[in-house]
Amino acid sequence: MDTGNRDLATSRDEGVKSLTKLMRVLDSFSTTDRALSMSEICQRTGYPKSTTHRLLASLRKAGLLDQDGDRDRYRLGLKLFELGNTVLANMDLHREARPYIEMLGRLTDQTVHLAVFDGRHAIVVGRSDPQPDGSGRAFFESAPAHCTSVGKAVLAHLPPPALDRFIAGGLARFTDTTLTDPAALRADLAATRARGYALDEGEHQPGLRCIGAPIHDVSGRVFAAISVSGPSWKLPTGEAERTAKIVMHTARGISQALGYRGLAYERQLPAGAAG
């Protein structure tokens, strides 16, 4: 390799490393940690203060981070909100699923989550909440797939090698009921495939019961899921099967809207449901 090509390759490698560092800073934030100090970001990323300061300055300049008035804490910037809205506007799933999300919320009077699978997490891209003030809702933007019904609905349909890699990445515990044993998770996923829907029995958030069903793309691949979530007292075990039928029917409707034809539909959505 001549000097010019070697320099170009080095420059590309450095660019990728810088981008990885920037993303690691952004990944430090979450719905529960919305504002962080520089020392907290240093702790979470493992970067020295000088490197973190440089990365924060770059992210602020790009509008990806905002700094509080006292200049001691950082928050995700509005530019990310703008980019996120652009992504959602261009996602067939988000566009086609919106009327189904609203219908499912009306039919069940439960919180509805629409999520896609990124290889490790269930990432929420749509939501409907029966509580106008947001009180008592099952709120998350992303969560490890093994402890949510939307995540398990997708995991149940992964090819065996992909599921093996997922499990090898670790199964973190969030509550007393989180499935952290690989054999127990595999058994749960087998039951999910057999009945057509996944159950989350307080495995991510204590006291919540969630029911999720898989969504297929036009090729038949399961890449997303939709769920209803509610306090266990509001979504009792005796109601789970009836509610699951509604969730599965909704997931089939979304799959059909996306062009999947591998499912048998006994009927379409009720008249006016997509209004």
Side-chain angles (χ1 to χ4, degrees):
M1 181 183 294
D2 60 37
T3 302
N5 289 335
R6 192 160 49 242
D7 290 343
L8 179 60
T10 300
S11 177
R12 286 174 177 169
D13 289 343
E14 290 301 319
V16 171
K17 290 179 182 178
S18 296
L19 180 59
T20 300
K21 289 179 179 179
L22 291 168
M23 288 304 302
R24 191 165 181 177
V25 171
L26 294 176
D27 283 340
S28 299
F29 296 86
S30 69
T31 54
T32 54
D33 297 302
R34 301 182 183 183
L36 298 171
S37 66
M38 181 185 293
S39 61
E40 289 171 328
I41 295 171
C42 287
Q43 184 178 21
R44 292 176 184 221
T45 60
Y47 299 146
K49 187 173 181 180
S50 58
T51 299
T52 303
H53 185 272
R54 175 174 54 81
L55 295 172
L56 291 174
S58 296
L59 289 167
R60 281 188 61 212
K61 186 175 181 180
L64 301 177
L65 280 185
D66 290 331
Q67 197 168 8
D68 283 357
D70 58 10
R71 305 185 67 80
D72 182 49
R73 301 181 76 77
Y74 295 84
R75 300 174 183 273
L76 296 179
L78 287 177
K79 186 64 178 180
L80 287 170
F81 178 77
E82 295 172 6
L83 293 172
N85 280 340
T86 300
V87 171
L88 290 178
N90 288 301
M91 283 183 64
D92 288 343
L93 173 64
H94 186 265
R95 182 174 60 254
E96 299 293 348
R98 173 47 54 186
Y100 293 88
I101 294 173
E102 295 174 354
M103 181 200 70
L104 183 58
R106 291 195 301 269
L107 289 175
T108 63
D109 193 34
Q110 304 287 356
T111 298
V112 178
H113 285 116
L114 175 74
V116 296
F117 180 61
D118 74 348
R120 289 298 305 173
H121 296 79
I123 309 296
V124 174
V125 296
R127 177 186 290 108
S128 174
D129 195 329
Q131 301 295 332
D133 61 355
S135 62
R137 69 180 177 183
F139 183 87
F140 68 93
E141 295 298 337
S142 72
H146 70 285
C147 58
T148 58
S149 65
V150 280
K152 292 196 290 183
V154 177
L155 291 179
H157 297 273
L158 283 184
L163 180 58
D164 291 343
R165 288 193 298 271
F166 177 86
I167 291 176
L171 304 173
R173 178 175 295 283
F174 291 85
T175 72
D176 290 342
T177 58
T178 304
L179 299 177
T180 59
D181 176 66
L185 178 62
R186 290 180 188 277
D188 186 83
L189 297 179
T192 294
R193 282 193 303 275
R195 66 180 172 237
Y197 62 91
L199 283 172
D200 164 11
E201 297 287 3
E203 296 157 38
H204 182 237
Q205 298 182 38
L208 286 173
R209 177 168 289 117
C210 311
I211 302 170
I215 295 171
H216 301 253
D217 65 15
V218 66
S219 71
R221 179 178 64 96
V222 172
F223 75 108
I226 191 167
S227 73
V228 295
S229 306
S232 297
W233 62 265
K234 190 178 178 183
L235 189 56
T237 302
E239 292 290 316
E241 187 172 350
R242 183 187 69 83
T243 302
K245 291 179 180 178
I246 301 173
V247 177
M248 288 190 290
H249 181 76
T250 303
R252 293 187 188 111
I254 296 172
S255 298
Q256 185 184 45
L258 293 172
Y260 181 54
R261 296 294 180 262
L263 297 170
Y265 291 88
E266 296 180 0
R267 58 187 176 88
Q268 300 298 317
L269 283 173

